[in-house]
Amino acid sequence: MGPGRPGAGQSALVTGASMGIGVDLAECLARDGYDLILAARSEAALNAVAGRLSAAHGVKAAVFAVDLGEHGGGTRLAQAVSAAGLKVDVLVNNAGFGKAGVFAGSEIGPQLGMIDLDVRALVELTHIYWPEMLAQNRGGVLNVASMAAFVPGPLMAVYYASKAFVLSFSEALWEEARGTGVHVSCLGPGATKSKFRERAGTGSTRLGQTAVVMESMPVAEAGYAGLRNNQRVVITGKGNHRTVRMVPFLPRTVVLKMVRNIQSPASTGK
Ligand SMILES: NC(=O)c1ccc[n+]([C@@H]2O[C@H](COP(=O)([O-])OP(=O)(O)OC[C@H]3O[C@@H](n4cnc5c(N)ncnc54)[C@H](OP(=O)(O)O)[C@@H]3O)[C@@H](O)[C@H]2O)c1
C-alpha cells in the first residue's frame, strides 16, 4: 500500500460499482492504489463498497448516486465529480443491463433503456474524459461489453446489438489512441455470477441453464490486466475464446440459429 503502486495519485471512475463485476473492477483498481469514484443508482450499496475498499486498500473513495439511463446522466455525473474537486484518470464503463425475450410485443422502455445505459451513457462519459486523457498522454478507458458483442442475438436482439456497438466503438478508440499512451480495452465477459442474469430474465434459457458461470473477480482481474497492457479485447474463459475464434468462419445463418437456440427456453424443443 505504498506510494509505489501504479495508481497512486490517480483516480478511477467506475460505473455500475454498487454490485457485480463493477465492485471487483473497483477492487482491482484500489489494490493498485487508485482513488475510487463509484457511480450507480443504489447509494447505500455504493457507500458499503466505498467503505470496504478504502479501508482494505488505503485509498479514497467517493460515491455518486446517479441514474445513467436518464439522458444527460453522464454529464450530470461528470459535473458532480468535477464540483467535488475530483479528476478522472481512468474511466471504467461497466454499468449495463440486458433484457431477454422476443422483440415483437416487448415493452419499448427496457429496449431503449439498454441503448441509453449500455451505449449512450458510455459514449457520453467517454466523450467527456477522452480529450483530457489524450492531452496528458496517459490514462485509459475500460469498456465492459459481453460475449454478446461478437454475434447477433435473436431473442435478446437489442442487448447483443448494444454490446456489438461497445466492442466496435472501443476498438476504434484503441486505434485512435495508438502511440499516445492512453489505453483502451474492451472486456467481453461470458456468463458471470452477478444480478445481471436475474435482471435480464435469462435464467430459464438454454444458455442460462447450461453456461459455465465464472466468478466475477477473475473476470474483473482479466479486464483490469487487459487495461494495464492496453489489450484491445479481453475475453474471459477458454470456451469463450474458442467461440470468438470460431464465429467468423461460420455462415451467418448458422450463427443466428445457434444463438436463437441458446436463447430459447430450456424446456421447449425449439
Ligand atoms: N453477468 C454476466 O453474465 C455478464 C455477461 C456479459 C456482460 N456483462 C456486462 O457486465 C456489466 C456489469 O454487469 P453485472 O454482471 O455486474 O450485473 P449487475 O450485478 O446487475 O450490475 C450492474 C451494475 O450496473 C448498475 N446500473 C444498472 N442500471 C443503472 C443505471 N440506470 N444507472 C447507473 N447504474 C446502473 C447497477 O447498479 P444500480 O442497480 O445500483 O444502479 C450495478 O452496479 C454490464 O455491462 C453487463 O452487460 C455481464
Side-chain angles (χ1 to χ4, degrees):
M1 300 216 291
R5 290 188 292 174
Q10 297 179 66
S11 302
L13 167 56
V14 183
T15 69
S18 61
M19 66 181 90
I21 299 168
V23 174
D24 292 333
L25 285 166
E27 176 134 32
C28 292
L29 288 149
R31 278 180 197 154
D32 263 358
Y34 286 92
D35 290 327
L36 299 173
I37 301 166
L38 306 176
R41 292 167 303 180
S42 313
E43 193 163 15
L46 285 173
N47 279 325
V49 173
R52 180 174 70 78
L53 295 183
S54 59
H57 302 289
V59 297
K60 291 181 203 144
V63 157
F64 294 86
V66 59
D67 187 345
L68 289 170
E70 286 178 358
H71 284 199
T75 301
R76 283 191 290 281
L77 169 60
Q79 284 166 347
V81 166
S82 170
L86 300 169
K87 64 181 180 56
V88 172
D89 300 289
V90 168
L91 171 64
V92 179
N93 284 307
N94 162 77
F97 82 99
K99 200 83 201 154
V102 68
F103 185 66
S106 62
E107 280 177 45
I108 190 64
Q111 301 294 350
L112 295 178
M114 281 181 270
I115 297 170
D116 289 338
L117 181 63
D118 303 4
V119 174
R120 189 184 170 102
L122 176 146
V123 171
E124 188 179 12
L125 285 169
T126 307
H127 189 258
I128 290 167
Y129 293 115
W130 187 243
E132 182 72 7
M133 289 179 191
L134 290 176
Q136 297 193 342
N137 293 308
R138 67 167 208 181
V141 179
L142 175 60
N143 288 331
V144 180
S146 167
M147 280 293 291
F150 297 92
V151 290
L155 306 184
M156 203 170 175
V158 173
Y159 179 71
Y160 278 62
S162 76
K163 293 302 186 177
F165 178 98
V166 174
L167 175 64
S168 172
F169 175 64
S170 305
E171 289 196 272
L173 289 194
W174 181 88
E175 177 59 31
E176 287 192 27
R178 187 196 283 276
T180 64
V182 178
H183 289 194
V184 182
S185 285
C186 185
L187 172 63
T192 305
K193 228 180 249 180
S194 76
K195 290 269 186 234
F196 173 84
R197 292 177 322 140
E198 190 185 308
R199 288 183 163 185
T202 52
S204 62
T205 62
R206 286 202 178 95
L207 182 63
Q209 299 277 305
T210 59
V212 177
V213 181
M214 285 183 70
E215 296 290 335
S216 53
M217 184 50 95
V219 169
E221 284 172 338
Y224 178 61
L227 179 67
R228 291 216 55 201
N229 296 323
N230 197 26
Q231 189 179 330
R232 206 179 71 252
V233 181
V234 180
I235 309 295
T236 56
K238 280 190 186 143
N240 294 330
H241 272 107
R242 272 197 299 276
T243 302
V244 168
R245 276 202 304 271
M246 182 181 71
V247 160
F249 298 101
L250 295 174
R252 212 57 169 168
T253 47
V254 171
V255 172
L256 284 162
K257 277 204 181 100
M258 284 168 63
V259 180
R260 184 180 185 134
N261 182 49
I262 60 169
Q263 288 296 350
S264 295
S267 52
T268 74
K270 283 182 208 159

